[in-house]
Amino acid sequence: MEFGETPEETAIREVEEEVGVKMSDLKFRTLTNDVFEDGSKHYITIWMEAKYESGEPKVKAPYEESEIGWFTWDSLPQPLYLPIRHLLEGKTYPSQTTESKIGAAIETSPILPGAGAEALPPDPSIPKVRHVRDIRPDVSESVE
């Protein structure tokens, strides 16, 4: 993050700088705590959901990525980067194993649209509409 940036501003800037894609309508989903033992690095990764706006992904930061593509959750290339592994394993804050799944990060649709990306079947155990009042009685909004 740059000084004074919000997490949303950082995500928009970083994605455009590193892969050439523009996004909008960002929503916080969750955090992962990522300790890279071999490199003595420790990161907190902020996971956001966003609406794809434009741009064709390309490698713009070869020191951080070797190739770019569109993938569904069940067809991610291997080996997985540690923060993605933690996300998929539910090692998140807030926990993805909670009943209410506040900040749920793993969706049942493609990450972003693109050739070969097909939607995964919806999980019937996860309601499409969550009523915030079910989680916090002092709030009356509903979210999809």
Side-chain angles (χ1 to χ4, degrees), residues 74-132:
D74 65 344
S75 66
L76 295 171
Q78 300 294 322
L80 293 174
Y81 185 55
L82 181 64
I84 294 173
R85 245 187 25 238
H86 285 163
L87 176 71
L88 295 174
E89 292 169 357
K91 295 178 180 176
T92 62
Y93 300 88
S95 171
Q96 296 305 301
T97 59
T98 61
E99 186 177 315
S100 61
K101 297 196 185 302
I102 298 169
I106 300 174
E107 299 292 334
T108 57
S109 60
I111 295 173
L112 290 172
E118 298 176 14
L120 302 175
D123 182 344
S125 70
I126 300 174
K128 285 197 175 266
V129 176
R130 295 184 189 149
H131 299 281
V132 176

Side-chain angles (χ1 to χ4, degrees), residues 131-143:
H131 299 281
V132 176
R133 68 179 170 275
D134 294 340
I135 301 165
R136 288 192 46 202
D138 59 315
V139 178
S140 63
E141 298 176 29
S142 295
V143 294

